[in-house]
Amino acid sequence: MKRNLKPYVLLLPVMLVILGIFVSGLVMALIQSLGYFPVVGLKDITLKYYKEVLTDKSFLSSLSFSLYISFTSSIIAIIVGILLAYSILRSNKKERMEQIVYKLPIIVPHAVAALLMYNVLSQSGILPRILYNMGIISSQSEFPSLIFDNRGIGIILAYVWKEIPFIAMVVYTILSNINDKLSEVALNLGANKRQVFFHILLPLIMPSVFSAFIIIFAFSFGAFEVPYLLGPTAPKALPVKAYIEYNNPDLTHRPYSMVINMSLTFISIILVWLYHKSFKLISKYDG
Amino acid sequence: ACGNQQTKQQASVLEKDWETILKEAKGTKVNFYGWGGSQMTNSWIDNYLAKRLKEEYDITLNRVGMDIDSILNIMLNEKQMEVKEGTIDVVWINGENFFTAKENDLLFGPFTDKLPNFNKYIDKDSVEVKYDFGFQVEGYEAPYGKAQFVMIHDKARVDKVPVNHEELLQFVKNNPGEFTYPAPPDFTGSAFVRNIIYDIVGYEQFLDMEPKKEVVEEAIKPAIDYFKQLKPYLWKEGKTYPATIAQLDNMFADKEVVMTMSYNPNHVVSKKQTGEFPETASSFVFDKGTIGNTHFLAIPHNAPNKAGALAVINFILSVEAQASKYDPNNWGDLPVLDNDKLNEEEKEVFSKIKIGEGAIRQDVLLEHRLPEMPANLIPIIEEIWMENIPAKGE
Amino acid sequence: MSRLELKNITKKFDNKIILDNINLVVEEGEMVSLLGPSGCGKTTTLKIITGLIYPDNGDVLLNNKSVLAVPVEKRETVIVFQDYLLFPHMTVEENIGFGLKMAKVDKKVRDKKVKEMINLVRLNGHEKKYPRELSGGQKQRVALARAIAVEPKVLLLDEPFSNLDGRLRENMREFVCELQKQLKITTILVTHDREEALMTSDKVAVMLEGKIRQFGSPEEIYKKPATKDVADFFGEKNYIKGTIENNIFKSRIGNFKTTFNKFSKGKAMIRPEEIEIFSKDVDTGLLGKIKKKKFAGDRMYYNILINDVEIKCITKFNKNYNVGDMVSVKIDFNDAVFFKEE
Amino acid sequence: MSRLELKNITKKFDNKIILDNINLVVEEGEMVSLLGPSGCGKTTTLKIITGLIYPDNGDVLLNNKSVLAVPVEKRETVIVFQDYLLFPHMTVEENIGFGLKMAKVDKKVRDKKVKEMINLVRLNGHEKKYPRELSGGQKQRVALARAIAVEPKVLLLDEPFSNLDGRLRENMREFVCELQKQLKITTILVTHDREEALMTSDKVAVMLEGKIRQFGSPEEIYKKPATKDVADFFGEKNYIKGTIENNIFKSRIGNFKTTFNKFSKGKAMIRPEEIEIFSKDVDTGLLGKIKKKKFAGDRMYYNILINDVEIKCITKFNKNYNVGDMVSVKIDFNDAVFFKEE
Amino acid sequence: MKKRSLFFTVIMYSIIFLLLFPLVILFVWSFTKNWPWPNIVPKAFGLRAIKYVFSPTSKSLKTLLFSVWLSSVVTIITLFISIPAAKALGLYKFKGKRLFKLLILAPIIVPPVAVSMGIHVTFIRLGLANTFLGVVLMHIIPCIPYGVRILTNVFEIIGESMEMQARVLGANPYKTFFYITLPMISPGLVSAGSLIFIVSFSQYFTTFLIGGGKIVTFFMLMFPYIQSGDRMMASVYSLIFILTSLVLFVVIEKTVKAYYKAENYFYI
Ligand SMILES: Nc1ncnc2c1ncn2[C@@H]1O[C@H](COP(=O)(O)OP(=O)(O)OP(=O)(O)O)[C@@H](O)[C@H]1O
Ligand SMILES: Nc1ncnc2c1ncn2[C@@H]1O[C@H](COP(=O)(O)OP(=O)(O)OP(=O)(O)O)[C@@H](O)[C@H]1O
Ligand SMILES: [Mg+2]
Ligand SMILES: [Mg+2]
């Protein structure tokens, strides 16, 4: 009896914060999305706003744009992040500068990351300048437009730049602490380095990678800063749409913002759940 | 019961005479909330205003750089919870945000008549003091400074500036990819769109237009057609637009485009001072004029230190403060005082200030000043623009 | 199917010499036991052979070719680790099949082989379990099966049976031996069980303090230990001081005939199991008194006092005397080993 | 210093019964060996005693009081795990001193005790090493020292000597036994070494498939195994089918006198070490032929064919015959155990 | 044995270069007055931004110190409550585990603007608005997913056996935690702690709302400049922001390593 309660007791403090504070906020958002916002005179509960938002054409294009950005950036970040972590491990010497400096982008806030991408990749950025001076391009406009473009390359790169070190750090922490001996055994049994990586190390870091993926995916799906600063005028990423509606000085627009936010949340939950399912199929080693 | 008490309290400050208010304000702290994205503005408030207030009234000014959206949210939530002692004493505000705040009873007032400097220097009957984006001010905010929309170009790269929409179109056609404007709802981009509308269909009809989409759409149709014409020659063929004026400014600074724009006529000077803009950058306005507006200071209904707030706002309306603010070395914001109400000595103070290279003289600006559109039309125009311009023609 | 040779292997850890000039030859298909006290460097030796540790000095030869440059995974020298080291994210099946999978063995063939191995190590019913769900002995069997499944050229067993009960141990041992002989896998077995070493292996190497002290056939090692240390390693012994003159060993417990004649003063080493006791009516010329007695299943351990000299003696369990009893003792000095007194 | 009692302990994993109604009493200061094949549930039993696993059913009593509700750290039942589980971030010293530190023992006293323990387990010179720098046996000794240092009421040893060489093992065993007797620590020893179990313990419990099949003194267990399974567990046996009539056991290898008379048809179990062989000129009435022979240090293993029945026999190592030799065989049926034929 | 692989060394340096390159540009921008196309180096340098940041009236440095303090408090509290939660999720099987995992992710999944209003209202009611404590609590929310998730993985790997061993040796749960669990998870704690610190350090929107301008963090001073496109100011602020965090992390990592001799603790 008492033992069965233990995990719940351990979860209590975190749950207090999440349920006590966070959910109270969420409930208000939900209510507002249903059109109840008495301070500004909206007092009827209605699904009208949902209908309006969800049937809007631009909603769908925004949704797919958001999904595309989050998926692409998260997957690239995962792959490169793991590669980086493994490379550091393989070229390993303890206490080297490299182990610290690669983490720098983690420290950089997303908004600054957007600024950096702008500095480097815009048509007046450092990259086209270098290409121009090397004679590879002859004018600014020859450089492909990566910022504000509707393929979202700038946004994706900003996310990728931010998240690679995050993934690498998480993976490296686990990787460097996985008992070296397991790799030794595998080598000894005739597995080459590549096989050791794919059959031993990768499965062992998979739970962490899985967590990390969810975190960065959910984050990039719901955050507005980067697409706001680097995104095209249309389609707008969903969070940007929500943000713009939220800041609409006409407060009766608040329910629209909340509808978009609730949709974002709902879609995220579905995706995370689906991901959980599919992950369980691939790996049986889930905590 | 609560409401009653509040009105009583409000009344109580406003009932006192100015001397008492100043006495009460002495030694207090005033929380001044407003946009904090300009280093020059911040420096003016921190270095000049705060210092002078301390010397003059022993008031500690606490500048909090915060977006107006957040400020409104704080006020709104405090209202919702009926917080009597709020956090904000003075808010830098105007336009739709003022309208929203006033509509939702978030503001304290009317208070402007209580301010000696307001009574002494301000032309109370001028449209720009009585109305803010078409909304009645009714004493709930006091003017802070004036702004006017200007275009900025690089003399080194533009020989002849376009002075109306047709010339602009011609210019853009001749220089494809070198011009663009921020996408509404960016504040400046939105102003540019309105300015073009004014240039094409005139401004008078909007001042009392019904805020209905069909009506507005009908009225601005020629302008929308114009934007469609313009689009293919814009930067990136008009497929996308900078999201903020900041990006356009940076593109201009990096020589990616040849023009930018600003709602602050002295913007070009300060940008040149910081070294961001080239020395050859210069402002210009359309012949038919550009939109001007006034920015204001208001006091939240639950401001904890209303006396202090009044004292601060009154000081800002002084000749000394307005002149210091007007100096492009400090900020370069246009004064709100009525020239006719100043004595010679006071006029002298203003005329001694050298406006910077590339800026337009104040009298020229005032000649070309057009009133802002009522705020409730603006979101409609932005929506129409959004629906017609960026998405179409892909 | 390879001849393995270690040449002058030396290894230090933290500047302490752990392996000191090790030389060892294991012929093709031979099974050599490596014996030695805890911490003497056995595991380190095996790791050097597989390439998991680089020696500071010396060479490892497989079929007379140095393999120091061959990477671990290509050496085909597989080690069964003392602490199992099963892959925690794989089931028993997957663990056992790992090596074959790495060698890209056809899935069907692999499955068959895995099944076979599971039968042999008696883990039927546990195929789908993860290591954390296994008992100690079960883990050990998985580790063993995993190594044998790849049929390596050289098999290195680091106490592979230590956590198995006697019967299973015998079975496993037999199974490994048979397989080893059949496939001619060159094998080194590290074990703490002296009997195991003696019974299963073609040769035994005794390692003490990082040096190989004796290397020979089991009988040699047992019967003719090169040094007292080696002898001691094979269990407690009786050492009786005395002098040898004219084939007579004179000591405090009496004089005995012997064939040994190399030096005159020394110790005779007599194994406790070489001493027989009888009830005191049997005349052996030597009487002793039982001082201590211990039951150990199929045998009895006695400590007997003869002229104040305590002698250990191991007998069959059915020879049952009580503490305090007087018994006749028979010591055969022909089997004794003599060490010169220092 | 406690009496330990297990009452009807039952435990399932994944709906498979692992422990089935276990009852066991260990008196104060007693040393009980727990024997059983790999995977039979020994470790699980120990874990239940310490409180690391909750039984599904049944109770654990210390001094006649249920301790199921007592948290692990208050039970004073310390276990030495099969897989050592040394704290990786502590040195040998720190590991050994950990329990004392937890009990807030004065630093000086603690240091002295730790030093003493290090001496006893012979790890001098390794005090400052981390577990990853130790050999298997060294780790095991640290684990042992760490547990003993706290002088628990109940000491649970899960194959604590499995990675030690014979001599060290004997030493450690003696040391533990002495300490245990001296401090009257109630002890359970899980071991795979039958001899160890028989020699060291006051009582032996044999566990098979989650059940305790026999619990008694070492001699009882050895000499009077309750079932064939228990007997088998103690090594390979000879089973000879036959009938008993008038105190005569009739079988294919001949007729023998016996005192046993409970049933008429059955198997006589004869331990290999109860069979003696002599050169064929000694007349025992029974002749056999050596079929197989194995050297095992102090003894020899022979397989002998008598009338086509293969009989295993263990003799002293000095009885040396060759494969194919004819020998006289002596079987004592008085020591035989009879099992009824099913 | 472990040979350094050239291939991976090259890959590592390439990726690191790509990650650092934009930061180098940031550094250059901190001192750049203007930098017109197509120059590769700026045309004019200046110290305007640095001067402003270091001038006492801008209160930047004071605010910086305060922010570090605030985020440290957030980090410590978040770690403190995350460890038990992570342990529960990493080591035990229980009903509703999936749901809890999802709930813990919620602060990342739900956009902050959606919940902030409700939370603000709640905080006003509780008297937490405009207070240090309120801001701390608000910051903890988005930090929880990072803390719990990372530590959960760590617990999954180290397992419970060491803790059990300690308990058996007479360590009560608290001592077990301090002597065994804490040192064993310390590498993970450093990772999680760094992330939490950063997440808290770069909270903008919620700090505004809950802090109401009474609690001013460094990021709040910095963000308007990023928005307004003053690249020099934004770069200098970012640079200070990054350097502060970096120094802090290096110090902490070194301290933890020295204190716990953190190495390969993870036993499998
Ligand atoms: N967590 C678990 N989940 C499922 N089965 C388990 C688990 N732990 C142990 N078992 C099973 O329970 C049985 C008994 O395990 P236990 O560890 O008690 O055996 P043991 O007697 O100690 O064996 P050994 O001598 O090999 O160590 C084994 O068959 C094992 O596979
Ligand atoms: N990484 C290391 N650093 C320092 N010393 C080490 C290291 N690895 C092993 N040693 C030391 O080397 C010696 C030999 O270790 P090894 O593991 O080879 O012994 P072993 O013969 O296998 O012993 P056991 O029978 O106990 O397993 C031991 O004294 C051990 O403490
Ligand atoms: Mg070893
Ligand atoms: Mg076990």
Side-chain angles (χ1 to χ4, degrees), chain E residues 48-250:
Chain E
R48 167 178 66 99
I50 290 274
K51 274 188 192 147
Y52 176 78
V53 171
F54 283 97
S55 80
T57 47
S58 78
K59 294 185 205 147
S60 306
L61 298 182
K62 222 178 101 196
T63 312
L64 179 67
L65 283 184
F66 173 75
S67 285
V68 169
W69 160 241
L70 175 85
S71 296
S72 308
V73 171
V74 171
T75 307
I76 289 168
I77 298 180
T78 310
L79 285 179
F80 205 73
I81 61 174
S82 294
I83 292 172
K87 191 175 163 190
L89 293 175
L91 296 181
Y92 304 123
K93 281 183 191 160
F94 53 94
K95 277 212 188 94
K97 187 163 165 178
R98 283 246 139 152
L99 180 70
F100 281 112
K101 278 193 164 178
L102 201 64
L103 266 177
I104 277 167
L105 271 185
I108 290 189
I109 292 179
V110 185
V113 287
V115 289
S116 57
M117 167 142 197
I119 296 176
H120 189 210
V121 168
T122 314
F123 274 23
I124 292 175
R125 185 178 298 139
L126 297 174
L128 288 169
N130 308 329
T131 64
F132 184 76
L133 181 63
V135 173
V136 167
L137 277 177
M138 186 69 207
H139 279 198
I140 288 176
I141 293 171
C143 293
I144 283 178
Y146 294 91
V148 176
R149 276 278 167 162
I150 291 180
L151 292 176
T152 300
N153 299 330
V154 172
F155 274 107
E156 271 167 6
I157 287 194
I158 63 174
E160 206 186 6
S161 48
M162 288 301 160
E163 286 190 8
M164 284 185 169
Q165 178 67 66
R167 294 288 298 279
V168 162
L169 287 168
N172 62 33
Y174 304 102
K175 283 185 174 169
T176 306
F177 177 77
F178 282 110
Y179 288 105
I180 306 299
T181 316
L182 205 55
M184 288 191 62
I185 64 173
S186 64
L189 272 185
V190 173
S191 301
S194 316
L195 275 171
I196 292 170
F197 184 88
I198 282 304
V199 172
S200 158
F201 208 42
S202 45
Q203 283 297 309
Y204 173 68
F205 185 76
T206 53
T207 319
F208 258 146
L209 204 62
I210 304 300
K214 289 265 164 80
I215 307 292
V216 179
T217 61
F218 191 70
F219 196 70
M220 282 165 65
L221 299 183
M222 155 176 172
F223 195 74
Y225 290 111
I226 297 173
Q227 272 189 325
S228 73
D230 188 335
R231 282 179 281 188
M232 194 182 197
M233 289 296 295
S235 300
V236 165
Y237 269 110
S238 304
L239 205 62
I240 295 177
F241 184 98
I242 293 167
L243 284 179
T244 309
S245 318
L246 185 67
V247 168
L248 212 67
F249 295 163
V250 171

Side-chain angles (χ1 to χ4, degrees), chain C residues 42-44 82 158-159 190, chain D residues 135-137:
Chain C
K42 304 179 295 292
T43 302
T44 308
Q82 209 165 354
D158 200 352
E159 300 179 34
V190 169
Chain D
S135 78

Side-chain angles (χ1 to χ4, degrees), chain A residues 6-8 10-11 13-15 17-19 21-22 24-26 28-29 32 37 80 83-84 86-88 90-96 98 100-109 111-112 115-120 123-126 128-130 132-133 137 139-140 161 164-166 169-170 173-174 176-180 182 204 207-208 210-211 214-215 218-219 222 225 228-229 243 246 254 258 261 264-265 268-269 272 276 280 285-287, chain E residues 2-5 8-9 11-13 15-16 18-23 25-26 29 35-40 81-82 84-85 87-89 92 94-98 100-111 113-119 121-123 137 140-141 144-146 148-150 153-154 156-157 160 187-188 191 195 198 202 205 219 222-223 226-227 231 234-235 238 241-242 245-246 249-250 253-254 257 263-268:
Chain A
K6 192 172 175 193
Y8 303 102
L10 292 174
L11 279 164
V14 159
M15 283 302 139
V17 176
I18 289 196
L19 295 178
I21 302 175
F22 186 77
S24 73
L26 195 61
M28 186 164 273
Q32 285 182 9
F37 195 16
V80 182
L83 185 64
L84 176 60
Y86 186 64
S87 302
I88 295 175
R90 283 291 300 278
S91 58
N92 186 22
K93 247 198 211 159
K94 273 181 204 163
E95 299 290 318
R96 285 192 326 183
E98 287 84 337
I100 294 168
V101 296
Y102 86 85
K103 292 181 192 158
L104 277 173
I106 298 177
I107 307 176
V108 179
V112 178
L115 178 75
L116 294 180
M117 287 306 125
Y118 181 83
N119 283 343
V120 175
Q123 282 178 319
S124 56
I126 194 74
R129 285 172 201 242
I130 292 172
Y132 178 85
N133 281 286
I137 57 172
S139 80
Q140 281 177 321
W161 182 82
I164 284 176
F166 169 66
M169 182 175 90
V170 170
T173 310
I174 305 289
S176 66
N177 286 308
I178 284 176
N179 209 330
D180 269 349
L182 287 183
L204 286 172
S208 316
F210 169 69
S211 288
I214 286 194
I215 286 181
F219 183 90
E225 285 114 319
Y228 179 68
L229 294 172
Y243 181 71
Y246 186 82
R254 200 46 80 73
M258 291 306 163
N261 280 324
L264 268 174
T265 305
S268 271
I269 290 176
V272 167
H276 250 286
K280 269 194 81 182
Y285 185 62
D286 176 27
Chain E
K2 252 195 202 152
K3 275 170 287 178
R4 289 182 58 179
S5 152
F8 285 103
T9 310
I11 292 221
M12 179 185 76
Y13 282 115
I15 299 179
I16 288 183
L18 290 178
L19 291 177
L20 289 191
F21 181 66
L23 290 173
I25 308 298
L26 182 84
W29 260 115
W35 194 351
W37 170 270
N39 296 10
I40 293 226
I81 61 174
S82 294
K87 191 175 163 190
L89 293 175
Y92 304 123
F94 53 94
K95 277 212 188 94
K97 187 163 165 178
R98 283 246 139 152
F100 281 112
K101 278 193 164 178
L102 201 64
L103 266 177
I104 277 167
L105 271 185
I108 290 189
I109 292 179
V110 185
V113 287
V115 289
S116 57
M117 167 142 197
I119 296 176
V121 168
T122 314
F123 274 23
L137 277 177
I140 288 176
I141 293 171
I144 283 178
Y146 294 91
V148 176
R149 276 278 167 162
I150 291 180
N153 299 330
V154 172
E156 271 167 6
I157 287 194
E160 206 186 6
S191 301
L195 275 171
I198 282 304
S202 45
F205 185 76
F219 196 70
M222 155 176 172
F223 195 74
I226 297 173
Q227 272 189 325
R231 282 179 281 188
S235 300
S238 304
F241 184 98
I242 293 167
S245 318
L246 185 67
F249 295 163
V250 171
E253 194 164 335
K254 289 264 188 290
K257 264 197 180 146
E263 283 278 353
N264 293 351
Y265 292 166
F266 294 72
Y267 257 42
I268 295 180

Side-chain angles (χ1 to χ4, degrees), chain C residues 23-272:
Chain C
N23 284 289
L24 188 70
V25 178
V26 188
E27 297 295 341
E28 192 179 313
E30 234 180 29
M31 158 93 100
V32 168
S33 287
L34 189 58
L35 293 182
S38 170
C40 72
K42 304 179 295 292
T43 302
T44 308
T45 309
L46 299 194
K47 281 191 174 172
I48 286 175
I49 296 173
T50 55
L52 290 173
I53 295 183
Y54 243 57
D56 294 334
N57 230 319
D59 204 350
V60 178
L61 307 173
L62 259 180
N63 289 331
N64 303 320
K65 261 184 256 156
S66 169
V67 291
L68 277 189
V70 178
V72 185
E73 70 269 22
K74 300 251 169 68
R75 284 207 196 171
E76 298 187 57
T77 52
V78 173
I79 187 167
V80 177
F81 285 97
Q82 209 165 354
D83 33 7
Y84 333 136
L85 294 174
L86 302 183
F87 302 126
H89 58 296
M90 298 184 191
T91 59
V92 167
E93 267 181 352
E94 287 164 349
N95 260 291
I96 295 178
F98 180 80
L100 297 171
K101 193 166 166 191
M102 294 304 101
K104 304 225 170 73
V105 172
D106 184 73
K107 173 120 176 55
K108 262 190 211 147
V109 181
R110 181 167 19 121
D111 285 351
K112 216 184 120 221
K113 181 96 187 186
V114 169
K115 199 150 209 154
E116 206 180 296
M117 294 310 304
I118 285 180
N119 278 332
L120 286 168
V121 297
R122 312 214 179 149
L123 281 173
N124 315 67
H126 300 277
E127 292 91 340
K128 305 281 177 216
K129 276 192 180 170
Y130 285 93
R132 61 177 175 276
E133 300 168 340
L134 296 178
S135 77
Q138 287 164 343
K139 283 187 217 167
Q140 200 162 42
R141 281 176 276 163
V142 176
L144 188 65
R146 183 175 65 177
I148 292 176
V150 301
E151 294 179 10
K153 280 187 196 163
V154 176
L155 183 62
L156 306 168
L157 304 169
D158 200 352
E159 300 179 34
F161 314 121
S162 64
N163 274 300
L164 304 181
D165 60 289
R167 265 193 44 197
L168 197 57
R169 188 176 187 125
E170 270 160 43
N171 282 318
M172 290 294 123
R173 195 196 295 160
E174 251 166 52
F175 150 62
V176 170
C177 283
E178 248 166 55
L179 199 84
Q180 183 259 335
K181 289 286 171 244
Q182 189 189 319
L183 300 177
K184 290 206 169 176
I185 302 174
T186 310
T187 307
I188 298 186
L189 169 71
V190 169
T191 176
H192 282 315
D193 187 327
R194 294 166 290 206
E195 197 175 300
E196 190 166 278
L198 297 172
M199 277 174 69
T200 49
S201 36
D202 299 311
K203 278 187 188 144
V204 175
V206 180
M207 193 179 220
L208 296 172
E209 289 162 353
K211 289 198 181 79
I212 293 207
R213 287 296 166 85
Q214 192 169 5
F215 182 47
S217 74
E219 294 207 31
E220 237 171 72
I221 297 275
Y222 185 79
K223 292 193 179 148
K224 295 194 186 101
T227 66
K228 190 167 158 293
D229 288 342
V230 174
D232 279 352
F233 182 73
F234 281 82
E236 280 196 284
K237 302 287 181 315
N238 295 303
Y239 290 101
I240 300 163
K241 277 189 202 172
T243 51
I244 305 174
E245 254 170 62
N246 304 327
N247 288 351
I248 301 284
F249 178 76
K250 288 186 184 167
S251 74
R252 288 193 53 197
I253 61 168
N255 299 347
F256 304 91
K257 260 204 192 143
T258 168
T259 53
F260 189 88
N261 213 352
K262 299 230 178 78
F263 42 78
S264 62
K265 195 153 178 235
K267 277 179 181 167
M269 181 195 90
I270 314 270
R271 295 187 185 77

